[in-house]
Amino acid sequence: MKTTAIPPLPLHPLTLPARGSWPATVHRFDENSAWAVRAALAAQRPLLVRGEPGSGKSQLARAAAEALGRLFLAEVVHARSESQDLQWRFDGLARLGDAQAMSAGHCSAEEVRARLDQRNYLSPGALWWAFDWDTAERQHLRSSGRSARPQPPAEWTPAQGSVLLIDEIDKAEADLPNGLLETLGNGAFTVPWLEQAVSVAPETPTPLVVITTNEERELPAAFVRRCLVLNLQMPKSESDFIAALIERGKLHFADRCPHEVYRSAAAQLWEDRQAATAQGLQGPGYAEYIDLLRVVTTLQADPAQQPALLAKVQDFALKKHPPANG
């Protein structure tokens, strides 16, 4: 088992720069989530993060990568995802198209065999990049870049390690978490047409795997037992909830809004959550609150004019469901 020093995570605000499709934002670890990340690193187990949508589960993984100086990788799971997709993908349609094109030309049998080699259509998945960056990059080049290459931070090296976010795993069938459990337990997986298994490179720290669930589907018990679990719960009382939202809003927008706007938006979000819960629906959360403040600060820079604007636009960000009376 690989052992590396596990530094404490900062509890002060952490700026997350824009990377790929992820926008720039700010994150602050609370003590509980910071210890959960460190515990997962020490145990070399996945960290399963539970919580309702918009509670910051995905951002936690991104912030951990930034704080630890690691590469951030992300894979969003959907209903058709399979565990193999996290390891590698094979573009059979492209190979068929090339075969048809070559059959109409004047290629020798040797040229056809070389061009249609299955390895030319094989792309590394997120786990391959996390386990062994160098072999993944070589395979990426061999397949002519058929899939996107992760963009590491400047001056990052594989020896610094990675954080892999597997987002919304509850959308997949049970085969995916079970297959993932086997791969992470072995620290390796096999790939057809390759002579050697893909495993965590000797100079690479064990990846930190952060897995999120919105609880739409129950996860296999064996899978949950092999994870460390962090429950991100929003405050239950109105006063604590509003205070937490105000703190988060000021973390993102500082003095761009007056306190009145932060509090009014938080109070309205609390009311809309109660109304949604009464209908058996999922209410708005932290993400909607930040969206609403972003609308206000973008459309009106003058803090004195922001309360009036908030009243005009708050329903668009917070009231996502039809009214109870239809």
Side-chain angles (χ1 to χ4, degrees), residues 71-85:
L71 170 68
F72 175 65
L73 302 162
E75 182 81 19
V76 179
V77 173
H78 53 77
R80 297 184 301 278
S81 295
E82 299 178 358
S83 59
Q84 173 194 296
D85 297 331

Side-chain angles (χ1 to χ4, degrees), residues 63-231:
E66 189 69 27
L68 296 168
R70 294 189 172 207
L71 170 68
F72 175 65
L73 302 162
E75 182 81 19
V76 179
V77 173
H78 53 77
R80 297 184 301 278
S81 295
E82 299 178 358
S83 59
Q84 173 194 296
D85 297 331
L86 298 170
Q87 302 170 355
W88 55 271
R89 290 182 173 90
F90 180 74
D91 194 343
L93 287 176
R95 186 171 185 265
L96 176 60
D98 288 348
Q100 292 172 337
M102 295 185 78
S103 67
H106 301 283
C107 301
S108 67
E110 183 177 346
E111 289 174 326
V112 171
R113 283 195 298 270
R115 181 67 190 89
L116 298 183
D117 188 321
Q118 288 92 335
R119 291 170 292 183
N120 296 335
Y121 303 87
L122 182 66
S123 298
L127 277 169
W128 194 338
W129 289 106
F131 278 15
D132 191 340
W133 176 271
D134 291 337
T135 63
E137 187 152 45
R138 287 197 295 271
Q139 183 58 46
H140 173 76
L141 294 173
R142 175 166 188 164
S143 65
S144 303
R146 295 182 186 279
S147 62
R149 175 185 182 274
Q151 296 301 312
E155 300 180 1
W156 175 85
T157 66
Q160 293 172 253
S162 62
V163 175
L164 171 58
L165 167 65
I166 301 176
D167 213 7
E168 301 182 349
I169 197 171
D170 50 311
K171 288 186 176 179
E173 298 290 342
D175 288 347
L176 190 148
N178 287 334
L180 177 62
L181 181 64
E182 180 181 357
T183 299
L184 295 178
N186 295 336
F189 57 88
T190 59
V191 181
W193 314 295
L194 297 186
E195 297 178 356
Q196 189 171 357
V198 174
S199 59
V200 179
E203 72 280 2
T204 301
T206 301
L208 169 63
V209 179
V210 178
I211 303 167
T212 72
T213 174
N214 292 330
E215 311 292 357
E216 293 182 6
R217 180 180 300 178
E218 186 175 358
L219 298 173
F223 173 78
V224 176
R225 283 199 303 270
R226 304 305 288 175
C227 296
L228 274 68
V229 180
L230 170 65
N231 290 288

